[in-house]
Amino acid sequence: GTLPHFMEEPDDAYIIKSNPIVLRCKAMPAMQIFFKCNGEWVHQNEHVSEESMDETTGLKVREVFINVTRQQVEDFHGPEDYWCQCVAWSHLGTSKSRKASVRIAYLRKNFEQDPQGKEVPIEGMIVLHCRPPEGVPAAEVEWLKNEEPIDSNLDENIDTRADHNLIIRQARLSDSGNYTCMAANIVAKRRSMSATVVVYVNGGWSSWTEWSNCNARCGRGWQKRSRTCTNPAPLNGGAFCEGMSVQKITCTSLCPVDGNWEVWSEWSVCSPECEHLRVRECIAPPPRNGGKYCEGLSQESENCTEGLLLLTWYPLFLLSDIETASDIALYSGLGAAVIAVAVLVVAVTLYRRSQSEYGVDVIDSSALTGGFQTFNFKTVRQGNSLLLNSSMQPDLTVSRTYSGPICLQDPMDKELMTESSLFNPLSDIKVKVQSSFMVSLGVTERAEYHGKAHSGTFPHGNNRAFGTIQARNKATYIQNLSSISTTSELKTTAVFGHLGGRLVVPNTGVSLLIPHGAIPEESSWEIYLAITQKESSLQPEGTDVLLGPEVTCGPSDLSVSTPFALTIPHCAEVNSEHWNIHLKKRTQQGKWEEVMSVEEETTSCYCLLDPYACHILLNSFGTYALIGEPISDCAVRQLKVAVFGCLSCNSLDYNLRVYCMDNTPCAFQEVVSDEKLQGGQLLEEPKLLHFKGNTFSLQISVLDIPPFLWRIKPFTACQEVPFSRVWCSSQKPLHCAFSLERYTPATTQLSCKICVRQVKGHEQILQIQTSILEVNFLAKCFDSFNFPAQMGPKAFKIPYSIRQRICATFDTPNAKGKDWQMLAQKNSINRNLSYFATQSSPSAVILDLWEARHQHDGDLDSLACALEEIGRTHSKISDVTETEIEEPDFNYSRQNGL
């Protein structure tokens, strides 16, 4: 009794690919249901009907299905989409359902607008536009960051609701990344091109430090203050700070004025105690600005009657008794003095006889008088040969401390000892004896490094008695020793071109790296590298220390287009809290000026301080040196301790020489070269001594000498060197000598200990176990032979093609910060990055610094691992490496263990 009521009407549908869709219609009560599509009735055979009874009302329920294919939709051409509608009949009439449209679903491949990469400053706004491809139904858009979906509901700073665009209101560093627009409907998903967003931070200066103290202690000087580009530090390609990181201003320090006494006042009136006074004040001038106060007494007193007033108190009859008593006291004192002198003479005579077998007396009366005494030579007993004792070999610098016996045979030998050439070939020997039997020798010149021993070298270590040399031959022998040539430099030279190369002073740790392209094309330059061995013209002030050799590279009038790398070894234990290390350069006028402090931020040059060497990037040639300024008493100067030995001219004597030198290869080579000329042998592997700047002296002693096989002269087993002579010395090595004597020629083995220690500091003990007849030419003291010069690709560890790839990759800023700054950080280059930012290729300069630091190991694996850690694919470098295997340059590198 009612019209049909539709319980289910057909819905809009989309045909996906070639799959037909099913439209359904359900009505109650309904006698018949038919579909009408595009105004035409669908054939009854295409309907599928199902009839049921509603349990509640008892009315008939009819449900009808039809299929619509892709072909039917494509064949329809009308003003509107393909549509279908249900018509249901009952006893009272008909009812029509809603029209359901049927469309073919699709999604185009190309986006109408891809998002574009951006570089924005921190806290700036980021807007990424995205217009998805055309499709039916319309595609929905989703944003991905580094392949992870973005949920704007979880981050209020991000909005993705405005026309499919991505809006980041305030950019943060964490917002840097790769953004992708993802479009999807029921047919397919489409990805846009990735847009790289880089949120960068421009560098900002920190606050200025306080002005430093005036560097001049007296007169005109300068003071400086500094700031760093760390507030904030530039990140992700942000701009470096503009302006200078260091400011200097002139200053004037008031010079100290020492005080001086004014003239004495007149004597005062004579007091009842028969004394009068006079005074003076320290006001001519008074001490100012830290000057010293006057030395001496400010008042004097003396008897004003010359004793006459006191004599008037004695009665006249007592004056004769006083004179008699005075005579008795006078004669008694003279007698006691005569007896004391006689006893002293007898004691000295007995002592000289007991010590006559050593061939020399060292008379030290400091225990009695506290002063210095000369030492006397005397003739040894008949039958002893002349001993040219190597313990008398002085150190090769001025004012070093030695002790030990000196043996002469006859007056002619004494005359021979006055010839400076005998000391191979030292000159101007001054000898004095301090307390504790210490002999201080000063020399003004020394023999320098030679590539081979000369024929005039004295044959140390043999058993020939030097006393057999005839008098007429001694002058000739001395002349031969004097004729040994000396040199003031270790120098190597080579010609370099556009391909660059490496220049090395063998066995010294000093090298020069000329990068590829530093020299113009079609040009060739002759470049030299030298180490000054003579006394350095750089004289450090106060407690400052020359930490390494004085190195010269040149010619000085040449300039390179890219920085070259100069490597200088040093002996400081690197710690910025204890040392302030400066690089200085000698001007054409011979004066030294400071280039930079190692910790200073500058764009003119760069210093990288490794534990044992300093690598310097420079643009101009010249003479350079490293100076260390100790900041605290904990500053450590590393000394290498080595012990050499050889037989003396007397076959029963054996000489030990203990050297304390800077822990640099060039300092050790000097010692080895000198010992090679003297016939010495290295008795024990050198050890490292940490010498602190705490003003305590150095003690060197010989211990555990076999008592029945060897003996050492009394009071010479321990020697002490003042702190100033160790700390403030120049490059020349310090050494102390000890002379041991065998009881019989049958003793050929020597075992003892050498203890080298700083008072209240570090100690090293060297165990000596050697055969004194063994010949050792110190071959093991030299490093393996290395080429002084290498030109072209063979001089570099990184093949040129790989180097180009690395530079091309890292010189370009990257979204994740994987640029040259990250390359520098992975190579332990964490400061003064502004220097690299000023270079045309920062990555190339970083790799040049890597080449300088790894000239011996060439550890390419560590570089590859660093690149992997940065996130670069190692496969690129591996592929390039494989292509390079056939190239001769890379073969050369692999043959060298790379």
Side-chain angles (χ1 to χ4, degrees):
T2 61
L3 291 175
H5 168 67
F6 286 97
M7 302 174 66
E8 183 177 352
E9 297 184 84
D11 293 325
D12 296 338
Y14 297 94
I15 296 177
I16 302 174
K17 297 183 180 179
S18 298
N19 300 323
I21 57 100
V22 178
L23 297 178
R24 64 179 60 195
C25 189
K26 188 176 182 180
M28 178 186 72
M31 298 173 58
Q32 293 290 338
I33 299 178
F34 292 98
F35 272 94
K36 193 180 210 181
C37 293
N38 301 319
E40 297 181 359
W41 293 103
V42 178
H43 195 278
Q44 183 177 359
N45 294 336
E46 297 179 7
H47 289 74
V48 178
S49 298
E50 293 181 358
E51 185 176 320
S52 62
M53 184 72 69
D54 184 86
E55 296 180 356
T56 304
T57 61
L59 299 177
K60 288 185 179 180
V61 178
R62 185 175 295 274
E63 187 174 5
V64 179
F65 305 89
I66 66 169
N67 291 331
V68 180
T69 65
R70 182 185 184 96
Q71 187 65 38
Q72 291 175 327
V73 176
E74 289 179 347
D75 291 343
F76 173 71
H77 301 284
E80 55 185 357
D81 293 333
Y82 190 97
W83 59 270
C84 292
Q85 184 182 37
C86 283
V87 180
W89 280 269
S90 70
H91 295 288
L92 297 181
T94 63
S95 296
K96 296 181 181 180
S97 70
R98 64 179 293 275
K99 290 183 179 180
S101 62
V102 180
R103 305 173 66 185
I104 298 175
Y106 67 92
L107 185 63
R108 304 289 185 196
K109 291 185 177 181
N110 298 325
F111 278 72
E112 295 182 5
Q113 181 178 2
D114 285 305
Q116 301 297 318
K118 293 180 179 247
E119 293 184 2
V120 295
I122 193 168
E123 297 184 356
M125 177 177 285
I126 303 174
V127 179
L128 297 181
H129 298 279
C130 175
R131 294 179 62 188
E134 178 188 354
V136 175
E140 296 182 357
V141 171
E142 181 185 23
W143 284 92
L144 305 178
K145 175 189 175 184
N146 298 332
E147 306 303 324
E148 296 292 334
I150 298 176
D151 190 352
S152 60
N153 296 324
L154 301 179
D155 192 344
E156 297 180 353
N157 194 40
I158 298 178
D159 185 5
T160 58
R161 297 170 294 181
D163 292 335
H164 310 304
N165 298 328
L166 173 67
I167 300 175
I168 301 178
R169 297 181 179 88
Q170 288 187 332
R172 301 156 297 192
L173 287 176
S174 59
D175 292 326
S176 296
N178 295 319
Y179 288 83
T180 306
C181 182
M182 178 74 74
N185 64 4
I186 60 175
V187 179
K189 291 184 179 181
R190 300 284 186 258
R191 291 171 57 96
S192 69
M193 298 292 292
S194 292
T196 300
V197 173
V198 178
V199 180
Y200 60 86
V201 179
N202 292 326
W205 288 114
S206 66
S207 299
W208 288 101
T209 61
E210 296 295 330
W211 287 103
S212 64
N213 296 328
C214 193
N215 71 322
R217 299 179 180 177
C218 176
R220 188 179 180 83
W222 54 265
Q223 55 186 153
K224 66 179 180 179
R225 65 175 183 175
S226 61
R227 57 180 178 175
T228 58
C229 190
T230 56
N231 186 32
L235 291 175
N236 298 339
F240 282 89
C241 305
E242 296 183 358
M244 298 302 296
S245 61
V246 178
Q247 282 186 348
K248 291 185 178 180
I249 59 174
T250 58
C251 57
T252 302
S253 297
L254 297 177
C255 297
V257 177
D258 294 338
N260 196 15
W261 293 112
E262 65 172 348
V263 297
W264 288 102
S265 65
E266 297 293 333
W267 287 104
S268 67
V269 179
C270 192
S271 68
E273 291 80 14
C274 302
E275 289 185 348
H276 58 178
L277 302 175
R278 65 174 181 174
V279 297
R280 57 179 178 175
E281 294 184 6
C282 186
I283 57 173
R288 295 193 304 271
N289 306 327
K292 295 180 180 179
Y293 194 78
C294 305
E295 296 181 358
L297 300 175
S298 60
Q299 68 177 17
E300 283 185 348
S301 63
E302 67 177 18
N303 189 282
C304 53
T305 62
E306 298 181 358
L308 296 180
L309 183 61
L310 294 178
L311 289 177
T312 59
W313 291 92
Y314 290 97
L316 294 177
F317 64 87
L318 292 178
L319 291 178
S320 59
D321 294 337
I322 294 176
E323 294 178 0
T324 304
S326 300
D327 293 341
I328 294 174
L330 176 61
Y331 293 135
S332 299
L334 291 176
V338 170
I339 294 174
V341 171
V343 172
L344 181 61
V345 170
V346 172
V348 171
T349 303
L350 293 176
Y351 177 79
R352 291 167 61 91
R353 288 182 180 178
S354 63
Q355 300 296 326
S356 60
E357 59 184 351
Y358 289 100
V360 62
D361 282 342
V362 182
I363 304 175
D364 184 2
S365 62
S366 60
L368 300 177
T369 64
F372 291 92
Q373 303 292 336
T374 61
F375 67 83
N376 304 321
F377 298 97
K378 75 172 185 179
T379 305
V380 297
R381 62 181 181 272
Q382 188 66 23
N384 280 358
S385 59
L386 174 66
L387 300 181
L388 181 57
N389 196 311
S390 63
S391 64
M392 277 302 298
Q393 291 288 345
D395 182 33
L396 308 179
T397 62
V398 177
S399 298
R400 291 295 187 268
T401 303
Y402 307 85
S403 68
I406 304 175
C407 350
L408 298 175
Q409 180 180 9
D410 51 34
M412 182 172 63
D413 294 334
K414 297 179 183 179
E415 181 179 358
L416 177 62
M417 290 295 289
T418 63
E419 297 293 339
S420 62
S421 303
L422 185 56
F423 288 92
N424 193 23
L426 303 170
S427 62
D428 297 342
I429 298 178
K430 308 167 194 176
V431 184
K432 67 182 179 180
V433 177
Q434 297 178 348
S435 59
S436 300
F437 292 92
M438 297 177 60
V439 181
S440 175
L441 301 181
V443 296
T444 62
E445 191 175 359
R446 57 158 293 174
E448 302 293 343
Y449 168 77
H450 299 282
K452 61 181 181 177
H454 295 266
S455 59
T457 304
F458 182 76
H460 294 270
N462 59 14
N463 296 324
R464 179 173 61 93
F466 190 73
T468 60
I469 300 178
Q470 301 299 325
R472 62 178 179 274
N473 294 330
K474 291 185 179 179
T476 304
Y477 175 70
I478 295 173
Q479 182 178 1
N480 291 335
L481 289 177
S482 302
S483 65
I484 296 178
S485 62
T486 62
T487 178
S488 62
E489 287 185 334
L490 286 172
K491 185 175 182 180
T492 179
T493 307
V495 177
F496 294 94
H498 182 69
L499 297 180
R502 192 189 303 269
L503 202 57
V504 178
V505 181
N507 303 315
T508 62
V510 177
S511 64
L512 179 68
L513 182 75
I514 307 296
H516 181 99
I519 300 175
E521 294 187 18
E522 300 180 359
S523 298
S524 295
W525 293 352
E526 183 179 13
I527 298 176
Y528 64 84
L529 181 64
I531 299 175
T532 302
Q533 285 193 292
K534 62 185 179 181
E535 192 73 23
S536 175
S537 60
L538 176 57
Q539 299 299 327
E541 299 179 356
T543 57
D544 291 357
V545 178
L546 183 62
L547 297 178
E550 180 183 314
V551 178
T552 302
C553 54
S556 58
D557 56 346
L558 298 179
S559 61
V560 294
S561 58
T562 58
F564 62 87
L566 177 64
T567 299
I568 301 178
H570 67 81
C571 61
E573 186 177 67
V574 179
N575 191 324
S576 59
E577 295 181 358
H578 302 154
W579 283 105
N580 187 12
I581 299 177
H582 306 268
L583 176 68
K584 293 197 174 185
K585 180 180 180 181
R586 188 171 62 191
T587 63
Q588 295 181 351
Q589 293 75 23
K591 297 182 179 180
W592 288 86
E593 62 180 13
E594 181 172 335
V595 179
M596 68 173 294
S597 173
V598 171
E599 298 296 330
E600 184 179 345
E601 298 276 342
T602 179
T603 57
S604 59
C605 60
Y606 187 89
C607 286
L608 180 61
L609 202 62
D610 279 345
Y612 299 104
C614 183
H615 309 283
I616 311 164
L617 296 176
L618 300 163
N619 288 91
S620 60
F621 295 103
T623 301
Y624 296 91
L626 290 173
I627 290 294
E629 176 187 356
I631 303 176
S632 69
D633 291 346
C634 295
V636 172
R637 183 177 186 178
Q638 295 180 336
L639 302 179
K640 181 175 289 187
V641 180
V643 180
F644 293 83
C646 69
L647 282 172
S648 178
C649 52
N650 184 342
S651 59
L652 294 179
D653 286 354
Y654 191 76
N655 298 320
L656 294 177
R657 290 184 290 274
V658 183
Y659 289 84
C660 296
M661 71 209 85
D662 288 345
N663 184 34
T664 59
C666 50
F668 185 56
Q669 176 176 318
E670 287 188 45
V671 172
V672 170
S673 301
D674 293 333
E675 283 293 328
K676 191 174 181 182
L677 294 176
Q678 300 178 43
Q681 62 174 339
L682 184 63
L683 303 182
E684 175 64 5
E685 194 72 23
K687 293 188 177 181
L688 193 63
L689 181 72
H690 299 282
F691 191 81
K692 290 186 177 181
N694 55 12
T695 70
F696 288 104
S697 59
L698 183 72
Q699 293 179 347
I700 305 175
S701 56
V702 182
L703 308 175
D704 297 345
I705 300 174
F708 301 107
L709 300 177
W710 294 86
R711 62 180 173 180
I712 189 171
K713 191 171 183 180
F715 308 107
T716 62
C718 180
Q719 301 183 27
E720 185 166 349
V721 184
F723 169 82
S724 59
R725 295 192 179 180
V726 181
W727 186 263
C728 301
S729 63
S730 62
Q731 297 172 281
K732 307 307 178 183
L734 164 73
H735 91 263
C736 293
F738 300 89
S739 180
L740 306 180
E741 183 180 1
R742 295 178 289 171
Y743 282 96
T744 64
T747 302
T748 60
Q749 298 293 324
L750 172 62
S751 65
C752 63
K753 294 180 181 178
I754 303 294
C755 177
V756 181
R757 63 180 293 268
Q758 184 183 17
V759 178
K760 296 185 180 181
H762 191 214
E763 177 184 69
Q764 283 289 8
I765 295 181
L766 292 85
Q767 181 69 48
I768 306 300
Q769 185 73 39
T770 184
S771 171
I772 63 174
L773 301 180
E774 180 181 350
V775 178
N776 185 340
F777 293 104
L778 298 172
K780 66 180 181 180
C781 297
F782 291 96
D783 297 336
S784 58
F785 181 79
N786 50 6
F787 296 98
Q790 292 177 318
M791 280 73 74
K794 293 183 179 180
F796 302 96
K797 309 300 181 183
I798 306 175
Y800 183 65
S801 58
I802 296 180
R803 176 189 174 94
Q804 286 182 311
R805 292 285 185 91
I806 296 175
C807 294
T809 302
F810 286 95
D811 282 343
T812 304
N814 184 274
K816 297 183 179 180
K818 300 172 185 175
D819 54 10
W820 62 265
Q821 298 180 64
M822 185 68 72
L823 179 64
Q825 179 182 352
K826 292 300 180 182
N827 284 278
S828 302
I829 303 172
N830 300 315
R831 57 166 197 82
N832 197 12
L833 296 182
S834 57
Y835 172 82
F836 299 96
T838 61
Q839 306 299 322
S840 58
S841 174
S843 301
V845 180
I846 293 173
L847 294 179
D848 292 337
L849 196 55
W850 184 93
E851 290 276 3
R853 299 175 70 185
H854 297 83
Q855 60 176 313
H856 298 297
D857 52 32
D859 189 3
L860 286 177
D861 290 338
S862 65
L863 181 60
C865 291
L867 297 179
E868 280 188 319
E869 290 179 9
I870 296 174
R872 301 300 186 187
T873 55
H874 188 217
S875 58
K876 291 184 178 180
I877 295 183
S878 300
D879 294 340
V880 177
T881 305
E882 292 176 1
T883 61
E884 295 292 334
I885 292 179
E886 298 180 358
E887 297 185 6
D889 295 344
F890 190 65
N891 283 334
Y892 176 83
S893 299
R894 294 179 64 88
Q895 292 169 5
N896 283 271
L898 305 182

